[in-house]
Amino acid sequence: FFGTRLNFNDVGLSSLLFGQYYDLEYGSLFSTVELVKRFDSAPIRLTLDIRGIANTDDEEPLHFLRRDSHINLELAYIF
């Protein structure tokens, strides 16, 4: 697993999270990216979440998840 989080020094508390699992035996990849941005003028948070699986073979345990990659966009009001 390799991952990192970057927190930016801005009013909106922006952050970026990136991580990736690499299977040494089968060569498959599981990647995740999350971006978060808060808007300083309004109590609103925008989140983008991306998860993906690549390079899966029929024999490996993650093969049944090969079609579960997704992108999620969320706009939330915080009170």
Side-chain angles (χ1 to χ4, degrees):
F1 179 78
F2 171 77
T4 187
R5 177 183 291 271
L6 298 172
N7 290 320
F8 301 101
N9 192 15
D10 61 350
V11 177
L13 300 172
S14 301
S15 67
L16 168 68
L17 174 68
F18 170 77
Q20 189 170 56
Y21 292 97
Y22 178 70
D23 188 342
L24 296 174
E25 184 176 347
Y26 296 104
S28 60
L29 295 170
F30 176 76
S31 302
T32 181
V33 177
E34 180 182 299
L35 301 165
V36 178
K37 171 71 176 163
R38 292 186 182 179
F39 296 97
D40 56 334
S41 61
I44 296 174
R45 180 182 67 210
L46 181 65
T47 304
L48 176 65
D49 185 23
I50 303 170
R51 300 194 192 279
I53 298 173
N55 299 335
T56 59
D57 290 332
D58 293 339
E59 301 172 357
E60 71 177 288
L62 287 179
H63 184 69
F64 73 97
L65 296 173
R66 70 190 180 279
R67 295 187 182 143
D68 286 347
S69 299
H70 71 272
I71 298 174
N72 185 36
L73 182 64
E74 175 185 15
L75 183 64
Y77 179 79
I78 304 167
F79 56 93

